Amino acid sequence: MAPSPAVVEAAAAEYLKPAERADFRVRHGLWSDLDLDAPSRRAAVALNAWRLDDAVFAENGVDPRMAVDARLRAGRYAEVVARTEGTDDLAMLALRAHALAALGRSDEAREIASSEAVSQALVSPENADTALAAIELAALRIRLDAAQASRYPELLKALARARQQIDRLDPRIRALEARLLAERHATGDALKALSEALSLCPRDASCWRLLGDIALDRFDFTGAANASKALRRLDPVHPHAAMLDCRSALMQDDPTAAAAALAPVLALPSPPPEAIAWSAACAASRYDFAAMRGELARFDTIAPGSAEALVVAGRQLVFDRQYAEARETLGLAAAREPAWALPRAELGLLSMQDGREATAVADLRRAVELDPHDERTVFTLRLAEELAGWKRIETAHFVIRHPDGDAALVARLLAGVLDQMHREICARLRHEPAQKTIIDVMPDHRSFGVRITGLPRIHTIAVCTGPTIAIEIPKEGPQQKHLGLFDPLAVLRHEYVHTVTLSMTKNRIPHWLTEAVAVALEDTPRTFETCQMLATASRRGELFDLDGINWAFVRPEKPTDRAMAYAQGRWMVEYAEKKFGWDAMCALLFSYAEGIREDEAMRRAFGVSRDEFHKGFLAWATDEVRAWGLDPQPPLRDITMRLVEGDDALENFMKDARAKRLDAVVKAWTASIGVPGPRATPLRGSEWPELPPPPVKLDDASLRAFLAEHPQHPDLLELLVRRVRDNDTTETRDVLVRYANARPVDPLPHRAWAKLAGAAGGDGLAAGGDEQALRHLVELDLLSDKDNVYALAIARNRRAAGDAAGASMAAERAVRMNPFSATVRELAAAIAVEAERLDLAEVHVEALTALEPDRDIHKRRLERVRQMKAAK
């Protein structure tokens, strides 16, 4: 990062003496080796690099505060206390108080932090050192004394005064402000302060560490890696860099890499205590809880009064969804430092995830009492209290919570279908969760974001944390409020598979596998676009390995990576079932509950190593692509190139294109002869060099001649289907059958058949009980996850055929996808009456009274339906 122009200008000031200039350059991170000719400056650089055992701290001329600070950072707290005995220097007293607190002598630390000298320095400090020491002591007092919770704004005011009245260029002031803001999740303001602090001192290690941690909070692994690199430029074994790399690896489910990143720091003569805390987190991520407790005990021998390591390990356990161990660990942290808000807030967030509503509210209220300025905790408490007052619908296996209004209409739809979903999924996976699953139906996207993260910045429609699922309602509207139409039952089916697989594996299932099984048990066919994506990756050798597929979920390198990971994961589950059987698949899932890693789990369940599994999958995938008709041989381009033979103009065109390596031009030429659809990639004008578009088309005679030679070639059949599909002839129906057999994953024949049967046009629906049309409408509906057009067509088709039960089932799906359409509700209510499902009719008519309150007919209909129910 470039230094501020003000800093550059000040460093060049003529009035500075050489020693003053060198001091200024070191203070602002502009130093070169020539500036390090004095022990004091070398000590400052060593302290920023966290070379805590550097001999420079023992040299004459070094500020004793730096030598004591180095010992504090190294966890040599008894030495800090001994060296600061009897001091009245406020900066030294701040170091002493932190050491006393770490040793468990919190009363003595509080006494220092609550002294009159601190109060006076907060208001009128003598210099920046005094101001910073007073603010540090006041912050420590808040952490140690619950009665001081309201004093946080005073610290920000003191920082502002120090910046404006003492030294606008002192980077430490903005750095401390950034830390205090980040601790309270005021991330935007913290980043602004960090940016300014780094412009005042581009080499400030504390700022780079905080910047990396904020990046990881946002799953920005690239940003964290950049921060780590900046720290390693200060020292290759910088502890802050190691701890950032460790945390990043843990978040990517790689405890081995995390431990390796930490190892050089743990090998130092005096490793920072925080490194031991992260070592405990590594053990937690390996599910080695004995080793975790051993590292926590090691930390306690150094800092028996600090809950820091317990919080680090506890948060990692929450991240890995080891809820029981997390609750125990964070509970110990809250007991050790009862005035510190963070452990209590983490307990509240944990309870929100694992469905302990009353405990969540109690913990969050206590956390807000201890720190009323933490944005995340305040947001989450507000939601937790709101959730506690929501209405509930309880079924045999679920508790559905919802507010009044739109969410209530969706919740009532779900109540009648979730238990059947539970039976299907649990029978398939051979496991039932031990408790009822809570489903929170959120009224809009912002409340959904707060529900799942504590901050309203998330872009999905549902999420599972184990025993709790949050889902927002399907509704059209502004994107910041709603994300559009979908079938909430289909989405909940995916999320509930997560609930069951997390339960059966004790939350230890690899990320890719829980997503893969969830997609596989959605029981819907792949879209044609997904098949094409998988086929292309298979042909190009670009399918993920088992490490890459995990990273694609949390650290996608391309916009398509996450979608590709979902699709390939499902494909691998399909391979495993076909190759090894579903019994083996369930055995694999259950084995993860023992805390074993993926290779051992696969050897147990499948009898092959992780690498052997992947190699077998790749070979099988190649055969599947051919079976889908997406790797036709010979390729269409080779066939159609025969049109060029003997035509000088076309031969020259292709020769010129190849000479210039214009692959896109060649593809466009193939498209121009009549290959339609997603495989055709039309070129933008700038991509045509000086070559004209090719002058030919593949005429019917040539196409039929090629088909005579290759009667089952899917690309040729597709071309013919697109030319004849609007004509209801024997040839059209024959070609549709041939193409459906040659490329069974393309829904094109189903659309054509449905249209020919008069059941559904491209943009409209028609009545009629045609049985042949029904089969194709069902296939098309399975592929339509954001549009109820085919569900409505099926409902009308079945109604015309006299199949009231089938019509009602389709109408229910149509309503779920658009529960706020009065037209769809009226149709579903009428069909429900015909099917003698008066319970469903009541739900829909009751919804109509809310959707159209000015129409009295709905009230009369509701009264009539209830009379019919009572009579029945």
Side-chain angles (χ1 to χ4, degrees):
M1 181 173 288
S4 162
V7 171
V8 174
E9 182 180 350
E14 294 182 0
Y15 60 81
L16 290 175
K17 297 177 182 178
E20 292 173 334
R21 193 182 313 280
D23 288 341
F24 185 92
R25 289 171 60 80
V26 167
R27 176 183 168 193
H28 291 276
L30 305 178
W31 51 266
S32 69
D33 289 345
L34 295 176
D35 296 311
L36 305 183
D37 57 350
S40 61
R41 292 192 282 274
R42 290 199 301 275
V45 170
L47 193 61
N48 189 53
W50 279 64
R51 292 194 291 270
L52 306 179
D53 294 297
D54 198 304
V56 71
F57 294 115
E59 293 186 29
N60 292 328
V62 172
D63 185 339
R65 289 178 292 188
M66 283 196 280
V68 172
D69 195 356
R71 285 168 169 77
L72 182 74
R73 298 183 189 198
R76 292 155 63 179
Y77 300 121
E79 293 180 38
V80 173
V81 172
R83 283 175 171 259
T84 56
E85 188 72 42
T87 185
D88 60 358
D89 178 85
L90 206 57
M92 285 289 237
L93 285 170
L95 299 172
R96 179 180 179 83
H98 278 94
L100 288 168
L103 291 170
R105 295 162 63 178
S106 56
D107 288 344
E108 295 173 69
R110 272 196 301 271
E111 184 179 351
I112 294 172
S114 58
S115 69
E116 180 60 31
V118 173
S119 299
Q120 185 175 348
L122 283 174
V123 179
S124 55
E126 296 176 2
N127 51 46
D129 289 345
T130 303
L132 291 168
I135 295 166
E136 285 279 11
L137 283 165
L140 178 62
R141 188 181 179 191
I142 290 174
R143 176 166 167 172
L144 297 177
D145 186 351
Q148 301 300 309
S150 62
R151 299 197 62 185
Y152 168 70
E154 295 178 27
L155 308 191
L156 297 184
K157 290 177 182 177
L159 284 164
R161 279 194 298 270
R163 187 172 66 251
Q164 294 163 8
Q165 299 174 13
I166 298 177
D167 190 347
R168 288 181 177 274
L169 296 185
D170 193 325
R172 299 173 300 168
I173 298 172
R174 284 300 254 168
L176 178 54
E177 182 179 3
R179 194 190 85 203
L180 295 178
L181 289 165
E183 287 173 353
R184 287 154 181 84
H185 299 92
T187 307
D189 291 337
L191 287 172
K192 183 180 177 181
L194 273 177
S195 178
E196 186 173 332
L198 283 168
S199 74
L200 298 174
C201 181
R203 285 169 161 168
D204 189 305
S206 66
C207 290
W208 283 112
R209 170 64 189 277
L210 183 55
L211 198 62
D213 276 324
I214 290 174
L216 289 175
D217 289 341
R218 298 176 166 190
F219 289 87
D220 177 8
F221 298 108
T222 301
N226 290 337
S228 175
K229 289 176 184 175
L231 288 162
R232 292 191 188 281
R233 285 194 288 270
L234 299 175
D235 189 280
V237 193
H238 202 297
H240 281 334
M243 287 182 275
L244 280 178
D245 293 343
C246 172
R247 183 185 172 200
S248 179
L250 288 174
M251 292 178 69
Q252 296 173 72
D253 193 26
D254 193 347
T256 302
L262 207 56
V265 176
L266 292 172
L268 293 172
S270 299
E274 188 189 354
I276 300 171
W278 282 106
S279 180
C282 290
S285 189
R286 296 193 304 270
Y287 315 123
D288 187 347
F289 302 130
M292 177 193 76
R293 294 184 184 99
E295 289 298 271
L296 291 174
R298 178 184 171 195
F299 181 93
D300 287 351
T301 63
I302 300 169
S306 173
E308 194 79 41
L310 290 166
V311 169
V312 169
R315 291 172 100 170
Q316 184 62 43
L317 289 165
V318 173
F319 186 85
D320 291 327
R321 292 173 172 166
Q322 301 303 292
Y323 295 141
E325 292 80 6
R327 188 173 302 284
E328 177 188 356
T329 305
L330 290 170
L332 290 172
R336 180 171 297 179
E337 292 200 50
W340 190 19
L342 183 58
R344 192 62 63 184
E346 293 295 334
L347 280 167
L349 293 167
L350 163 60
S351 295
M352 289 285 284
Q353 288 190 37
D354 73 348
R356 302 190 181 203
E357 311 154 59
T359 304
V361 171
D363 282 330
L364 290 168
R365 282 177 178 165
R366 181 57 179 154
V368 170
E369 288 173 4
L370 295 172
D371 189 348
H373 305 284
D374 188 315
E375 292 187 12
R376 180 187 65 169
T377 311
V378 170
F379 268 130
T380 310
L381 173 60
R382 188 180 305 155
L383 180 63
E385 291 177 332
E386 184 181 334
L387 288 172
W390 281 8
K391 292 182 177 168
R392 295 167 176 247
I393 304 173
E394 192 155 353
T395 74
H397 302 285
F398 298 92
V399 176
I400 307 169
R401 301 190 298 192
H402 64 86
D404 289 329
D406 289 349
L409 301 183
V410 176
R412 288 206 64 190
L413 286 174
L414 296 172
V417 291
L418 288 179
D419 284 337
Q420 177 60 32
M421 176 194 76
H422 163 89
R423 288 189 289 272
E424 292 170 4
I425 290 172
C426 292
R428 189 88 165 100
L429 291 171
R430 303 168 190 177
H431 176 79
E432 288 194 22
Q435 64 190 79
K436 288 187 178 184
T437 300
I438 295 173
I439 295 178
D440 290 329
V441 182
M442 312 306 295
D444 54 48
H445 189 59
R446 187 180 189 281
S447 62
F448 171 76
V450 174
R451 171 67 184 89
I452 64 175
T453 67
L455 290 174
R457 303 181 188 98
I458 213 75
H459 301 286
T460 183
I461 54 177
V463 72
C464 168
T465 61
T468 301
I469 298 172
I471 184 170
E472 65 178 84
I473 62 173
K475 191 173 185 180
E476 295 174 315
Q479 190 170 8
Q480 64 270 25
K481 190 168 184 180
H482 299 292
L483 295 186
L485 303 183
F486 59 91
D487 184 349
L489 178 62
V491 173
L492 284 173
R493 186 180 182 91
H494 177 105
E495 299 302 331
Y496 190 59
V497 172
H498 287 321
T499 295
V500 179
T501 56
L502 288 169
S503 172
M504 69 194 294
T505 64
K506 295 185 179 178
N507 298 322
R508 296 169 184 176
I509 185 172
H511 192 151
W512 78 266
L513 186 55
T514 188
E515 295 295 352
V517 175
V519 177
L521 296 192
E522 288 174 5
D523 285 343
T524 56
R526 291 182 189 86
T527 66
F528 187 41
E529 291 73 21
T530 297
C531 292
Q532 289 177 299
M533 178 176 65
L534 289 170
T536 299
S538 175
R539 290 195 303 268
R540 293 177 177 173
E542 294 176 355
L543 289 170
F544 295 118
D545 61 22
L546 288 172
D547 289 325
I549 194 169
N550 265 325
W551 293 338
F553 282 109
V554 294
R555 191 182 61 184
E557 295 180 359
K558 297 182 294 186
T560 56
D561 275 0
R562 187 170 279 115
M564 182 67 195
Y566 276 107
Q568 184 184 324
R570 170 186 177 168
W571 213 15
M572 288 196 291
V573 168
E574 185 179 332
Y575 162 69
E577 182 177 6
K578 290 183 177 179
K579 176 71 174 177
F580 306 106
W582 190 250
D583 287 348
M585 190 71 224
C586 289
L588 176 74
L589 294 172
F590 280 116
S591 70
Y592 284 113
E594 300 176 32
I596 61 176
R597 308 310 292 184
E598 193 164 65
D599 185 71
E600 183 182 351
M602 286 188 171
R603 289 179 187 274
R604 283 194 197 179
F606 299 156
V608 298
S609 70
R610 189 171 180 262
D611 289 342
E612 289 168 339
F613 172 85
H614 189 255
K615 288 176 183 176
F617 162 70
L618 293 179
W620 174 83
T622 300
D623 294 338
E624 284 294 287
V625 170
R626 293 196 186 103
W628 291 348
L630 293 177
D631 188 20
Q633 299 298 326
L636 180 61
R637 185 182 303 167
D638 290 357
I639 296 173
T640 54
M641 281 296 293
R642 290 163 53 188
L643 295 172
V644 178
E645 295 173 2
D647 188 316
D648 292 341
L650 287 175
E651 286 183 349
N652 290 336
F653 174 87
M654 299 305 294
K655 181 179 179 181
D656 204 5
R658 287 198 195 91
K660 296 182 179 180
R661 301 183 61 80
L662 302 175
D663 293 341
V665 172
V666 178
K667 289 180 182 177
W669 181 83
T670 305
S672 74
I673 64 173
V675 181
R679 285 178 300 282
T681 308
L683 295 181
R684 298 184 296 275
S686 61
E687 293 173 323
W688 288 100
E690 296 178 357
L691 295 170
V696 301
K697 293 281 186 181
L698 181 59
D699 58 31
D700 280 353
S702 298
L703 175 57
R704 292 177 187 278
F706 289 146
L707 267 171
E709 296 179 36
H710 308 283
Q712 301 305 319
H713 196 287
D715 285 342
L716 293 172
L717 286 167
E718 181 187 357
L719 288 171
L720 186 56
V721 163
R722 292 184 180 275
R723 295 183 183 191
V724 303
R725 60 182 169 176
D726 292 331
N727 304 318
D728 190 0
T729 65
T730 301
E731 181 198 33
T732 297
R733 294 178 179 272
D734 174 67
V735 171
L736 287 172
V737 171
R738 289 168 60 194
Y739 180 56
N741 291 332
R743 184 170 284 154
V745 295
D746 191 346
L748 175 62
H750 295 297
R751 292 195 186 100
W753 268 314
K755 186 175 181 181
L756 290 175
D763 58 356
L765 305 174
D770 188 286
E771 295 292 336
Q772 182 181 352
L774 174 65
R775 179 167 65 90
H776 306 300
L777 289 172
V778 169
E779 289 293 328
L780 294 170
D781 183 48
L782 288 172
L783 293 168
S784 180
D785 59 348
K786 292 181 174 62
D787 190 342
N788 63 2
V789 61
Y790 293 111
L792 287 169
I794 294 169
R796 293 185 175 111
N797 176 287
R798 292 297 81 204
R799 192 183 193 189
D803 178 6
S808 181
M809 185 179 299
E812 291 303 304
R813 171 165 157 81
V815 170
R816 286 196 305 270
M817 294 181 79
N818 192 357
F820 306 105
S821 167
T823 302
V824 177
R825 287 278 192 172
E826 285 199 81
L827 176 65
I831 292 175
V833 171
E834 294 166 9
E836 298 185 357
R837 288 299 307 274
L838 298 177
D839 55 331
L840 298 178
E842 182 180 15
V843 168
H844 297 313
V845 179
E846 190 172 18
L848 284 166
T849 64
L851 294 172
E852 297 181 333
D854 55 336
R855 293 190 64 192
D856 290 339
I857 190 173
H858 296 321
K859 297 174 184 176
R860 295 195 297 272
R861 286 171 173 169
L862 180 59
E863 183 180 352
R864 177 59 182 148
V865 168
R866 286 173 174 169
Q867 289 173 352
M868 293 168 66
K869 275 185 67 179
K872 185 176 180 180

